Amino acid sequence: MADTGRRTPHQYLLFELTKRCQNNCAFCYNVWKEEGDYPQEELSFEETVVVLRNAIRGSGCKNIGLSGGEPLLKKGFFEIASFVSSQGVTPILITNGKLLTREAVAEAMECGVGYFEISLHSDDRSIHDGLVGRRGSFDEVIDAILNVREAGGQVYTVFVATKKNVRTFKNFVELNALLGVRWILFNRVACGGSCLPDWISLAPSPSDLQQALDEGVPVAEKYKIGLSAGVQVQPCLVDLSKYGNFLSAHCPLNENGTGHTYFTIDPAGNLRMCNRSKIILGSLLEEEFGVISESPVVKEFRAAVPDFCLDCKLAAVCSGGCKADAMSYYGTLSKPDPFLELWKDRVVKIPPS
């Protein structure tokens, strides 16, 4: 591979180390769970290092999220985290918590893991366990959070909002306060992966999301817990700007030139535009990150605005929502995010000035 040099620096990359996972989440968006012949290979440790060198050199990233599946099932995980740290990049562990024992937390921190992102989806044990498809998961997650807190590590939780748990969000925030969690990532359920066929049955309404945030955000503010959205909620459906302590975001790929991107590396070393897009841009075992991250496919993806949104001023910032979800559900970028399509009768557009 010829070294083409570094282009626009990127703040963050995501590396899906393995497809394996102990859970069977109803809302799982992993693209290899969709229909089709997605590559099934998994890199060796040596190949993983080659891919990481390429990605770090070509991106200039400051953080790499190590996810899966469940990344702690990847053989050599701690050595991988150590390598990332040795390159001046902070590894972030994204985990379901099952294997996050005191010993694992200590070893992860010794390897340079700077943050632990742990999935927790309700304050109610039965709701959480039902959503992840495994009894006992709730108790394991609570233990994992306490293990990280006991070791002095930084932990934040991920709440995937569905019809089944969205009304528990206020109590969920209170539980996080008791556990000493300082940040919560609030994600409405995405449309992809294994939940693609039954996504509508899981998707909360805009009013459900509004109520959850109206009740939960003041509690987070009271206990000084940070809140952010990792899955876009369109501003024409829910006005998130009214929450002063809630960090909302649109697709990072729309922010061309800012470095706020979300490129994802899959278990076989292929680069994708994000963890919810199944479009493979190229292999980091064979091509330079800088070349494939600026391919025409990426530029087309960034520029796309669905037809429904063309007469709305907000399209300049939201582009109709998640384009990866639109591609998974409709197979085209001309339609908006399925969440917007589902609730478009409630849309409040702002005409272009």
Side-chain angles (χ1 to χ4, degrees), residues 50-89:
V50 170
V51 165
L52 282 168
R53 279 205 182 100
N54 184 356
I56 291 170
R57 181 182 65 238
S59 69
C61 65
K62 302 301 181 185
N63 304 279
I64 291 182
L66 301 176
S67 74
E70 170 51 49
L72 288 173
L73 290 173
K74 174 71 174 180
K75 184 178 180 181
F77 169 81
F78 296 108
E79 290 81 2
I80 291 168
S82 290
F83 176 78
V84 172
S85 182
S86 74
Q87 303 302 298
V89 175

Side-chain angles (χ1 to χ4, degrees), residues 144 206 293 332:
S293 66
T332 178

Side-chain angles (χ1 to χ4, degrees), residues 5 80 86 121 256 343:
I80 291 168
S86 74
H121 306 293
N256 193 11
W343 302 105

